[in-house]
Amino acid sequence: MIKKTGQIHILSINCGSSSVKFSIFEIPDSLGKKNPLLNAERIFSGVIEEIGTKFGEFHFKTKGKEDFGKLNFKDHSEAINFMIHKLGFNIANLNINIVVHRFVHGGDEFREPVVVTKENIVKLNGLTELAPLHNPSNLKGLKIMSGCMPHAKQVCVFDTAFHRTIPLYAGIYPIPLDYYYRYKVKRYGFHGISYSYINNLLSLNKKDIKKLIICHLGNGASICAVKNGVSVDTSMGYTPLEGLMMGTRCGDIDPSIPFILKEKLNISCEELYDILNKKSGLLGISQKTYDFKELLTYSDENSKLAFKMYVYRIIKFIGGYCAALNGIDALVFTGGIGENSSLLRKEVCKNLAYLGIKIDDRKNKKASEYFNKFDCHGKIKIRKQVKSIGGGKIPIFAVHTDEDIQMASEAVKLLFYEKRGAT
Ligand code: ADP
């Protein structure tokens, strides 16, 4: 059992529609002006999946120790109470000072992390329409945690916030302008917490990069063009459906296709939405799996086609953003696929030689071996999370992203930095 005092404890939590993911960090309460990322330690983490189904599972970890099993949870409340029970069991005298919640969509309203107030909850409720698949469960988590831990400060961090800097010409769609003003139809972009983390990590590692492309490739996938540390374009749009081909999402398609399919299949808008969000992408083409690692184990024609399409679409986006940025200074791969798959990185970079992008095969393989075994518990390893894999003019990095620690760090800065007079 871990016993801790003299520390601030932060719980980062991400409530999905049927899952809860979380990490507990501690930082010394004498942190002063020091960067939380350099001083944080992850002491516990976990995931509860398939909430509300008969296939419930939990998996908790501390350094060198795991606890997992199958258990069904009626709803998020039951799952979160189980998580709190496990925390109490593993960490003595644990006093959580801050709970930081991941919100996928902050709309136009939330461009920075905020402390939860009654006023903010009303505004957050109003955002459900923008992200019906994500925000309601984020809100559910916030309400449950506020009840369970009333003495902790509750903070929200938004995935859309990093993209607030996208200029109007890149951020709105060529449809009647009125829809932007009246209904806020524009490119919000997502994965912003991950992009912020990568940016911070590169600058902490003294990589002075002016024009950067980051590929965040997980079950959801997007690409971001970053100039002087801020987002200037990104592939996801009004919702996380736009852009790259993903595990189950289609990404970019001709906007007429949904109308044609609706007619031909005689289905409702909800069913159509379901097809594009949950039955397309790698799953739709391979007809076998949405999981990239599993896809690589198949050798049938459809699976090979799914892999080719996935790679091709990434290459097209990188080329597009290189043009938009008028050249790049570095390329980053992150997310479960971006970090772990040396094959994916190699195949993407093969077609980018004309830009001075060349993979070093040995470094590329070594980076995947390292990340495949990476244990994120204990002190945050900011130097070891960035692996240089390039062998050409343009640096290429495989980077382990850590959205939970980025959230914790943003919450600490919001709550303590002003008081301490830090910048
Ligand atoms: P999420 O978007 O849900 O956070 P992750 O970032 O964890 O997802 O990425 C999950 C994806 O990463 C899955 O498609 C998984 O198969 C893939 N992945 C994980 N490890 C490897 C690996 N060693 N090789 C290839 N793909 C991997």
Side-chain angles (χ1 to χ4, degrees):
M1 190 182 270
I2 306 165
K3 203 165 192 162
K4 296 288 175 186
T5 48
Q7 310 278 347
I8 295 171
H9 290 107
I10 307 148
L11 167 64
S12 295
I13 186 161
N14 178 7
C15 283
S17 54
S18 63
S19 68
V20 174
K21 294 180 184 167
F22 70 93
S23 296
I24 309 268
F25 299 98
E26 63 177 22
I27 57 169
D29 58 9
S30 57
L31 186 67
K33 293 182 185 180
K34 289 179 200 145
N35 190 328
L37 287 181
L38 295 172
N39 295 278
E41 195 173 323
R42 182 186 259 101
I43 54 172
F44 201 73
S45 72
V47 55
I48 300 175
E49 287 178 304
E50 297 288 347
I51 297 168
T53 75
K54 289 181 182 149
F55 310 102
E57 283 182 28
F58 69 89
H59 197 153
F60 298 134
K61 287 187 190 171
T62 51
K63 200 166 174 57
K65 205 173 119 194
E66 292 185 56
D67 179 10
F68 52 90
K70 294 193 184 300
L71 198 61
N72 295 338
F73 303 95
K74 189 174 72 189
D75 52 24
H76 282 74
S77 178
E78 213 172 270
I80 287 176
N81 276 305
F82 180 73
M83 170 190 99
I84 291 171
H85 166 76
K86 284 277 178 188
L87 277 176
F89 183 73
N90 280 280
I91 310 165
N93 308 327
L94 181 70
N95 181 22
I96 299 281
N97 310 93
I98 305 169
V99 182
V100 52
H101 300 266
R102 178 180 184 174
F103 269 75
V104 167
H105 218 307
D108 245 3
E109 199 76 52
F110 296 105
R111 293 162 160 248
E112 303 283 348
V114 291
V115 174
V116 175
T117 57
K118 277 189 191 146
E119 217 178 41
N120 282 338
I121 291 191
V122 173
K123 286 184 191 163
L124 287 167
N125 269 312
L127 293 177
T128 296
E129 195 184 286
L130 281 174
L133 296 179
H134 298 93
N135 273 40
S137 37
N138 301 157
L139 256 173
K140 223 183 260 175
L142 170 58
K143 287 176 185 159
I144 298 167
M145 288 310 302
S146 306
C148 295
M149 296 186 178
H151 303 299
K153 288 265 183 213
Q154 309 279 332
V155 172
C156 301
V157 176
F158 302 92
D159 262 309
T160 44
F162 184 68
H163 303 294
R164 65 188 179 275
T165 44
I166 293 179
L168 196 63
Y169 63 83
I172 63 170
Y173 296 100
I175 55 176
L177 189 60
D178 207 27
Y179 303 149
Y180 163 61
Y181 289 116
R182 264 202 284 167
Y183 307 119
K184 305 270 183 253
V185 176
K186 64 165 205 168
R187 177 178 306 288
Y188 287 98
F190 300 88
H191 290 137
I193 301 170
S194 171
Y195 292 132
S196 300
Y197 183 68
I198 304 287
N199 245 335
N200 290 337
L201 210 54
L202 290 175
S203 85
L204 284 169
N205 280 287
K206 310 250 178 301
K207 313 271 183 222
D208 179 27
I209 300 163
K210 289 196 170 56
K211 294 188 281 186
L212 171 68
I213 293 178
I214 308 174
C215 308
H216 179 111
L217 311 173
N219 286 317
S222 71
I223 300 201
C224 186
V226 180
K227 196 171 180 181
N228 298 323
V230 302
S231 171
V232 290
D233 205 348
T234 192
S235 59
M236 283 179 171
Y238 182 72
T239 72
L241 186 56
E242 193 185 346
L244 295 173
M245 175 176 174
M246 304 175 219
T248 60
R249 290 176 230 159
C250 58
D252 288 349
I253 57 170
D254 180 337
S256 304
I257 292 171
F259 298 103
I260 293 164
L261 285 181
K262 190 171 179 324
E263 192 128 307
K264 292 218 181 278
L265 300 171
N266 190 23
I267 52 176
S268 67
C269 283
E270 286 73 31
E271 286 168 303
L272 190 51
Y273 205 65
D274 214 52
I275 292 172
L276 301 179
N277 272 289
K278 297 184 182 160
K279 297 181 181 160
S280 300
L282 295 177
L283 176 65
I285 299 297
S286 72
Q287 297 172 26
K288 279 199 149 88
T289 182
Y290 67 90
D291 187 90
F292 191 82
K293 193 174 176 183
E294 191 183 330
L295 184 81
L296 298 182
T297 64
Y298 299 128
S299 53
D300 62 286
E301 288 309 311
N302 290 342
S303 300
K304 283 199 251 174
L305 178 62
F307 177 81
K308 261 198 166 159
M309 287 173 70
Y310 189 84
V311 169
Y312 179 68
R313 286 172 169 241
I314 296 171
I315 293 169
K316 281 210 297 184
F317 259 102
I318 294 176
Y321 285 167
C322 267
L325 289 168
N326 194 10
I328 57 166
D329 301 321
L331 174 64
V332 168
F333 290 93
T334 190
I337 300 168
E339 287 164 33
N340 293 302
S341 176
S342 53
L343 176 67
L344 180 280
R345 295 190 298 253
K346 187 176 169 174
E347 289 301 309
V348 167
C349 290
K350 249 188 206 169
N351 251 42
L352 301 173
Y354 73 102
L355 293 168
I357 289 175
K358 188 169 173 286
I359 282 267
D360 178 314
D361 278 333
R362 193 186 60 85
K363 288 186 189 166
N364 187 35
K365 281 199 187 117
K366 277 196 99 165
S368 288
E369 280 163 22
Y370 179 77
F371 287 132
N372 272 293
K373 290 189 219 131
F374 190 75
D375 182 359
C376 60
H377 294 84
K379 206 139 171 59
I380 304 301
K381 307 166 189 83
I382 59 143
R383 310 233 182 278
K384 294 187 173 164
Q385 289 182 17
V386 178
K387 296 285 171 206
S388 174
I389 56 169
K393 205 170 69 190
I394 304 291
I396 314 170
F397 301 105
V399 181
H400 173 72
T401 194
D402 190 334
E403 286 147 313
D404 286 357
I405 183 62
Q406 178 63 25
M407 287 159 59
S409 158
E410 290 189 20
V412 168
K413 285 183 180 167
L414 175 72
L415 292 170
F416 297 111
Y417 265 34
E418 264 175 38
K419 281 188 209 149
R420 289 174 171 155
T423 50

